[in-house]
Amino acid sequence: MKRLILIAMLTISVCLLGHAQRVKPVEYGGTVSVLKVVDQKALILELRVVGYGKNEALAQEDAEVRAIRAVMYAGVEGFRPLLVESQAESQHGDFLLNFFDNKQYKDYLPMVEPAGGLTKVKGMKRKVRKQPYDIRVNVGALERFLIQNKVKKRMGF
């Protein structure tokens, strides 16, 4: 009986650790920079983002999450963040977790294109690779979505 409980707890902890990895980008550094404002009225930005992962698919997913998280929580060159991360995650953690887990953020990325090849990251023990992407983010639509779902207030955070 003790073994069964131990195995169940181990399985749950592995699932939780894997779950947290999908929501937040891998911590290897990297930057998010604005290439251009595609549409000022609709507020669509084109960003250059470096994604990290073992292969191209994982690097692209990492870059997409980095782009959305930068717009939502950090802001990008001349554009303020949509939310305060600690406040949003404490008040709307389940909603935001589902937003990233169900990959709803992809609805606000009208374009994701590689801007270079997949290259090895030197000095890492794991086989980590990086790849730059040009990603368009529909910030206006994302902000409306967050307001509609009461994660963001109309004025301010």
Side-chain angles (χ1 to χ4, degrees), residues 10-153:
L10 182 64
T11 304
I12 290 170
S13 65
V14 167
C15 289
L16 290 175
L17 287 174
H19 183 66
Q21 189 80 20
R22 287 192 310 265
V23 175
K24 294 188 178 182
V26 183
E27 294 296 326
Y28 295 120
T31 60
V32 175
S33 57
V34 176
L35 292 178
K36 64 182 176 180
V37 178
V38 177
D39 186 342
Q40 184 70 38
K41 188 174 181 182
L43 194 53
I44 299 174
L45 303 176
E46 188 166 326
L47 307 174
R48 172 71 50 89
V49 184
V50 176
Y52 296 84
K54 291 181 179 180
N55 56 41
E56 192 169 338
L58 292 174
Q60 180 176 331
E61 186 175 355
D62 183 65
E64 291 170 354
V65 171
R66 282 176 188 276
I68 291 293
R69 288 181 63 83
V71 167
M72 285 175 63
Y73 300 131
V76 289
E77 298 172 24
F79 297 92
R80 65 180 178 80
L82 299 178
L83 303 169
V84 175
E85 184 172 12
S86 58
Q87 184 181 9
E89 287 189 353
S90 68
Q91 293 175 358
H92 307 284
D94 291 339
F95 176 83
L96 293 170
L97 200 59
N98 287 332
F99 176 75
F100 285 103
D101 274 352
N102 297 331
K103 300 185 189 230
Q104 289 177 306
Y105 61 87
K106 289 183 178 274
D107 295 344
Y108 305 98
L109 303 175
M111 182 198 85
V112 178
E113 293 180 352
L118 194 64
T119 58
K120 282 180 121 177
V121 177
K122 294 182 180 179
M124 300 300 275
K125 290 184 179 181
R126 293 190 209 165
K127 292 184 179 179
V128 177
R129 300 181 187 291
K130 67 180 180 176
Q131 184 169 11
Y133 288 90
D134 291 340
I135 300 177
R136 286 193 183 159
V137 180
N138 191 337
V139 180
L142 177 60
E143 185 172 28
R144 285 190 299 278
F145 172 76
L146 294 172
I147 290 170
Q148 191 175 36
N149 287 285
K150 297 179 175 53
V151 175
K152 178 179 177 12
K153 295 179 183 171

